[in-house]
Amino acid sequence: MANLLFSILEGVLTSVPSRRSKLINTKFKRLKKEKWFQEIVNRYGTLFQANTEVRNLLKELILKKY
């Protein structure tokens, strides 16, 4: 029973996005409005957005901008 409760609590806590993820997701929303980005999404699909290298690059761009 305790194991089940711990699993549920762990799932809830890991489903809450971090500040970094929120910033990156906001950047993706802005990029989706750009035509060149839409072409990349059409070519490679949306799976590349989950790639850690792409997300780290966006994080670096966000940090340099602000």
Side-chain angles (χ1 to χ4, degrees):
M1 184 68 176
N3 193 15
L4 176 65
L5 291 175
F6 179 72
S7 296
I8 292 172
L9 182 62
E10 182 182 25
V12 168
L13 291 177
T14 57
S15 68
V16 176
S18 66
R19 182 172 183 256
R20 175 183 172 263
S21 291
K22 287 180 185 179
L23 287 173
I24 292 172
N25 290 339
T26 302
K27 192 72 166 181
F28 273 124
K29 286 179 186 177
R30 290 183 194 159
L31 286 173
K32 286 179 183 178
K33 296 177 185 176
E34 300 292 329
K35 183 176 174 138
W36 61 269
F37 186 77
Q38 291 173 359
E39 291 173 5
I40 292 173
V41 170
N42 288 337
R43 187 178 314 146
Y44 298 110
T46 56
L47 188 58
F48 81 95
Q49 294 177 4
N51 186 321
T52 55
E53 293 297 320
V54 172
R55 294 184 76 80
N56 288 335
L57 176 65
L58 281 176
K59 179 186 141 203
E60 294 299 320
L61 293 174
I62 290 168
L63 291 177
K64 288 180 184 177
K65 185 175 181 179
Y66 296 106

